[in-house]
Amino acid sequence: MSETCHKVTITTPIYYVNDIPHIGHAYTTIIADTLARYSRLKGHETRFITGTDEHGQKIEEAAKSRGKSPQAYADEISGKFKTLWDEFDISYDTFIRTTDEKHKKGVQKAFETMYNNGDIYKDEYEGFYCVSCETFFTQTQLLEDECCPDCGKQTSIVKEESYFFKLSKYEDRLLAWYEEKEDCVLPKGKKNEVINFVKQGLHDLSITRTSFDWGVKLPDSLHDPKHVMYVWLDALMNYITALGYGDDERYMEFADNMTHLVGKDILRFHAIYWPAFLMSLDLPLPKHIAAHGWWTRNGEKISKSKGNVVDPREVANAYGLENFRYFLMREVPFGQDGDFSQKALIDRINSDLGNDLGNLMNRIIGMSGKYSDLVIDSSNVRTYHDKELKEAEALLENIEEYIYQMQLNRYLETLWKVLTIANQAITTHEPWVKMKEGKTEEAMALVALVANLLARVAILLSPVMPKTCDKIATAMGFSINTKTYQSLYHDRALLETFTIQKLPALFPRIEEEVLAVKEVVSAKKEKKKKEKTDGIITIDQFFETKLKIGTILTAQEVKKSDRLLQLTVDVGEDEPRQVIAGIKEYYNPADLVDTQVCIVANLKPAKIMGMLSQGMLLAAKDKEGLSLMRPEKPKKSGTPVG
Ligand code: MSP
């Protein structure tokens, strides 16, 4: 958002439909909603875009595992996002789905344009792919030769014909853009990470796949029906197709001033690929790409498998939607990670909202009720309280800067400093004493000062807590809109004489945690637990590991791997198990057949280089090499060890 432009676009990432909405999604969406509301309050024409990302291998696999068609599955989950945002009163203008026909048409037009501009060529891709992150990697980028460096999950080998985007061509232009536009990527620390990444050199980007088909087809003009577009190319284009690109382009002028809100995990796609695509399309570059941190629970990443997911609907129902919004915006500095706890939320509600804001409203109602029949007249505020007013005005003067820098916590902190001036003015000037001394005019001026400060705070707080602030404004006889933003905040006008309406308490005190959110044992605690036992385990703990004798039936090398052998092992079950073992350097496959081994039989199956491994062989390894653990005398396959 910038001061001068009057057509503004704010976006959230579009959410994958393999997961139901959680606190992380709510966070991005609520920040974006706050920015959009602020932009409208200022009088900018604003398009706020959110939606769902529905194509790609991850979604296709998720649908399959539930026995659904990808479209039916996407319809279901996309609906859950939309319903939640509607319940949360998210003020989006467009909810885009990448399965919308108009979107697909726009993506095809973009592909065709980039192709015609000479930025796309056909070749063969050979490398690794993480389905969970929908990201390509080279071998050197992988963890332990096979795992995704971002999420740690197993990658798979991809070798297929692919179209490539000439990302490398844009390296210099990207670096020049980062340098020229100071705030193009926020916060600054994250921007430096992006710059360093680009400086290491960019590879051209594979932008189509042929091994599955749940994606947007290439434009007909390319006559290449076996390819579908890479999901990130498809997804990023939503930011312009939602403005009508490739269809009814009437909103395309909003593309001149775009702010993209994203989580830190997807900054690279937005700060490198996306501007490069836009350069190729000859379209304006984003104004800001702002990356926020992650919410954790007890310091751990939130994930379904850990069972520590925080359901935003539950939190909002238990503690109030706007209180939750305030907490999310206030609790962590933008860009940093934050730990969600009900205690912290309750503290914010009772202290910031109840004591500082709600109580101020009560005090105004109480005092004006006693002194002036609830009538509040601002005529003498400047006479008696110019100092306090000026102090507050100085604080608020540059508050917008915090919005442009995405420092919403600092923005709120500043509003609270104004509330402190108001609360302190009451304590310092003791209007009740003034009333006793017959100085009614002075006492009423003090009440009017406080009411005016609260009115300005309510206007500026309204993008974060719209309904609460509307209640405050209505009780004080005005509405929050661009006109009052301009007059009461910008032009520093005072409220006209009004009769304040009594309000029930805005923030009833919360005494104890309302939600029974499952607590998880944090990694740290678990480590401590282990330390206490000095590594000693009980016999029961030992027998949790099921060890069995297995007989190797077949053994062969895994192509493209220096370490791995693919074995089938009889462990006395109906079917032999497949085991992928890192023993290639030490054993000739033919020598292993018909020999016996000791196998961990209750290990969770894992995929290694795309192949299922259903157990682990016990072995001892030292400088001299590796030796498999075998029974001294032959034993029946499946015999327990222990
Ligand atoms: N589909 C892509 C985005 C494409 S945009 C062209 C995607 N989707 S996502 O559903 O996985 O994530 C969406 C957003 O949620 C990301 O910005 C991500 O950072 C955010 N969050 C997911 N979990 C989060 C937390 N625990 N905390 C904060 N935000 C996190 O990526």
Side-chain angles (χ1 to χ4, degrees):
M1 260 188 287
S2 87
E3 186 65 43
T4 45
C5 184
H6 293 276
K7 286 191 187 339
V8 172
T9 305
I10 314 278
T11 71
T12 73
I14 48 172
Y15 302 107
Y16 284 131
V17 290
N18 69 322
D19 198 3
I20 53 170
H22 61 64
I23 188 173
H25 305 126
Y27 182 51
T28 325
T29 306
I30 290 171
I31 304 176
D33 184 61
T34 299
L35 297 179
R37 286 174 185 271
Y38 187 83
S39 168
R40 293 190 196 107
L41 185 63
K42 274 183 69 85
H44 293 327
E45 271 183 77
T46 307
R47 307 289 309 165
F48 172 17
I49 304 167
T50 189
T52 41
D53 187 354
E54 306 181 10
H55 289 126
Q57 201 172 346
K58 172 157 72 174
I59 308 301
E60 192 182 72
E61 286 178 7
K64 210 180 273 171
S65 73
R66 288 163 179 83
K68 296 190 174 157
S69 74
Q71 187 63 59
Y73 176 61
D75 288 346
E76 180 190 324
I77 309 286
S78 177
K80 289 191 196 294
F81 276 96
K82 191 157 183 295
T83 307
L84 182 67
W85 301 153
D86 289 339
E87 268 175 52
F88 272 19
D89 224 356
I90 298 299
S91 61
Y92 62 82
D93 298 286
T94 305
F95 186 97
I96 186 155
R97 299 183 54 184
T98 53
T99 50
D100 291 342
E101 285 310 318
K102 284 182 182 174
H103 169 78
K104 292 195 256 181
K105 212 170 117 194
V107 178
Q108 287 172 334
K109 177 180 163 183
F111 195 100
E112 197 164 33
T113 310
M114 297 196 293
Y115 185 85
N116 292 339
N117 287 346
D119 281 345
I120 292 179
Y121 62 92
K122 195 161 154 180
D123 202 343
E124 178 158 273
Y125 179 81
E126 196 175 345
F128 296 82
Y129 195 74
C130 173
V131 177
S132 182
C133 299
E134 297 281 17
T135 308
F136 295 99
F137 294 104
T138 57
Q139 175 114 45
T140 51
Q141 291 174 307
L142 300 182
L143 295 179
E144 293 170 358
D145 274 0
E146 51 201 19
C147 296
C148 170
D150 290 343
C151 71
K153 292 195 184 131
Q154 183 72 42
T155 57
S156 46
I157 299 176
V158 172
K159 187 169 190 258
E160 58 191 41
E161 183 185 272
S162 176
Y163 285 82
F164 284 80
F165 173 72
K166 288 186 184 167
L167 187 62
S168 54
K169 172 177 154 184
Y170 288 96
E171 215 172 281
D172 292 342
R173 273 182 71 186
L174 283 168
L175 289 170
W177 179 58
Y178 304 137
E179 190 167 331
E180 191 196 336
K181 302 282 179 198
E182 210 190 322
D183 297 335
C184 61
V185 180
L186 292 167
K188 298 269 153 61
K190 294 270 185 300
K191 182 179 173 188
N192 291 336
E193 285 173 25
V194 170
I195 293 175
N196 289 338
F197 187 89
V198 176
K199 278 188 176 159
Q200 280 168 24
L202 294 175
H203 299 284
D204 289 350
L205 183 69
S206 165
I207 50 166
T208 67
R209 303 285 311 270
T210 56
S211 45
F212 64 94
D213 56 19
W214 181 236
V216 181
K217 297 267 178 241
L218 299 201
D220 290 343
S221 57
L222 271 89
H223 306 294
D224 217 346
K226 66 175 187 291
H227 288 260
V228 292
M229 290 196 211
Y230 173 40
V231 63
W232 269 102
L233 173 84
D234 166 5
L236 287 162
M237 290 299 164
N238 96 85
Y239 299 133
I240 50 175
T241 60
L243 296 176
Y245 179 82
D247 188 57
D248 171 359
E249 301 206 342
R250 105 180 91 141
Y251 289 119
M252 274 307 283
E253 28 182 342
F254 284 77
D256 287 352
N257 192 327
M258 284 233 193
T259 295
H260 300 301
L261 253 301
V262 299
K264 62 180 182 179
D265 51 318
I266 55 171
L267 180 60
R268 203 186 314 153
F269 300 93
H270 284 82
I272 301 174
Y273 302 170
W274 177 229
F277 292 157
L278 288 169
M279 286 172 188
S280 173
L281 292 170
D282 207 14
L283 287 172
L285 302 184
K287 274 276 173 314
H288 302 300
I289 300 157
H292 63 70
W294 273 51
W295 283 91
T296 54
R297 251 178 97 51
N298 296 322
E300 290 194 357
K301 202 172 160 182
I302 293 174
S303 79
K304 265 191 288 188
S305 55
K306 286 202 182 107
N308 62 353
V309 172
V310 180
D311 177 350
R313 183 185 273 117
E314 272 184 21
V315 180
N317 288 343
Y319 292 101
L321 172 62
E322 300 211 342
N323 298 347
F324 181 40
R325 283 174 69 108
Y326 172 78
F327 168 79
L328 290 176
M329 302 296 100
R330 176 68 185 79
E331 190 67 9
V332 276
F334 188 85
Q336 291 182 21
D337 291 348
D339 204 52
F340 176 82
S341 86
Q342 295 187 73
K343 186 182 172 306
L345 172 56
I346 293 170
D347 283 352
R348 288 278 172 208
I349 297 174
N350 288 344
S351 164
D352 300 10
L353 297 176
N355 293 349
D356 301 339
L357 176 62
N359 207 18
L360 192 64
M361 185 72 192
N362 290 343
R363 293 174 96 179
I364 300 171
I365 296 171
M367 291 186 296
S368 61
K370 278 193 198 138
Y371 312 156
S372 55
D373 251 350
L374 297 169
V375 173
I376 296 181
D377 175 354
S378 302
S379 349
N380 292 314
V381 172
R382 293 223 183 258
T383 319
Y384 293 104
H385 295 292
D386 204 37
K387 186 175 141 279
E388 286 97 338
L389 207 54
K390 288 238 166 70
E391 212 181 312
E393 282 164 356
L395 277 171
L396 296 180
E397 190 167 350
N398 297 318
I399 195 169
E400 278 188 344
E401 261 315 299
Y402 293 132
I403 296 266
Y404 300 137
Q405 296 297 325
M406 306 292 149
Q407 296 178 334
L408 286 155
N409 64 315
R410 305 279 300 273
Y411 178 85
L412 291 170
E413 247 171 60
T414 309
L415 292 183
W416 255 251
K417 285 185 186 157
V418 174
L419 294 179
T420 305
I421 295 179
N423 275 313
Q424 252 164 20
I426 304 175
T427 317
T428 312
H429 296 283
E430 300 180 313
W432 49 93
V433 176
K434 299 260 161 35
M435 285 301 285
K436 274 191 197 143
E437 294 168 356
K439 295 177 183 163
T440 315
E441 189 181 279
E442 278 182 48
M444 283 171 62
L446 186 273
V447 179
L449 164 78
V450 176
N452 275 282
L453 295 181
L454 180 59
R456 291 179 194 185
V457 168
I459 291 170
L460 293 170
L461 181 61
S462 67
V464 180
M465 307 184 75
K467 291 221 164 82
T468 309
C469 294
D470 275 347
K471 272 191 213 160
I472 296 175
T474 309
M476 299 213 287
F478 72 100
S479 316
I480 297 178
N481 51 42
T482 306
K483 229 171 106 202
T484 48
Y485 165 85
Q486 188 62 34
S487 59
L488 295 177
Y489 164 61
H490 212 268
D491 301 341
R492 302 175 178 187
L494 295 175
L495 292 163
E496 288 177 6
T497 303
F498 67 95
T499 304
I500 197 164
Q501 286 166 23
K502 291 189 175 171
L503 276 183
L506 289 169
F507 309 102
R509 216 182 150 70
I510 299 175
E511 299 298 345
E512 57 188 34
E513 295 189 0
V514 186
L515 277 180
V517 182
K518 211 161 90 188
E519 289 299 329
V520 284
V521 185
S522 74
K524 273 191 210 138
K525 275 193 211 146
E526 205 135 43
K527 198 169 156 229
K528 269 213 181 119
K529 224 166 73 189
K530 277 203 189 114
E531 277 164 7
K532 268 193 207 144
T533 58
D534 281 337
I536 304 292
I537 57 168
T538 62
I539 186 87
D540 291 342
Q541 283 170 325
F542 173 75
F543 278 114
E544 280 176 23
T545 311
K546 302 268 178 273
L547 299 173
K548 286 185 180 176
I549 297 299
T551 309
I552 298 179
L553 304 177
T554 65
Q556 60 185 24
E557 296 186 344
V558 172
K559 274 191 212 124
K560 290 205 174 74
S561 171
D562 302 331
R563 287 193 321 115
L564 301 176
L565 290 185
Q566 181 186 4
L567 313 171
T568 46
V569 185
D570 176 7
V571 283
E573 295 164 345
D574 294 346
E575 297 273 328
R577 295 199 190 189
Q578 172 166 283
V579 175
I580 309 298
I583 55 172
K584 187 169 170 181
E585 293 163 65
Y586 312 100
Y587 289 93
N588 182 348
D591 298 343
L592 285 170
V593 176
D594 288 339
T595 66
Q596 290 204 304
V597 284
C598 181
I599 178 169
V600 182
N602 61 340
L603 203 60
K604 193 173 167 210
K607 271 197 169 175
I608 302 179
M609 288 188 83
M611 289 171 296
L612 193 66
S613 184
Q614 300 164 297
M616 189 177 85
L617 306 188
L618 292 192
K621 190 176 164 190
D622 62 11
K623 276 189 282 176
E624 264 103 66
L626 177 142
S627 170
L628 286 167
M629 298 290 104
R630 306 174 182 285
E632 192 189 352
K633 293 184 198 132
K635 289 280 158 206
K636 206 166 151 244
S637 298
T639 308
V641 178

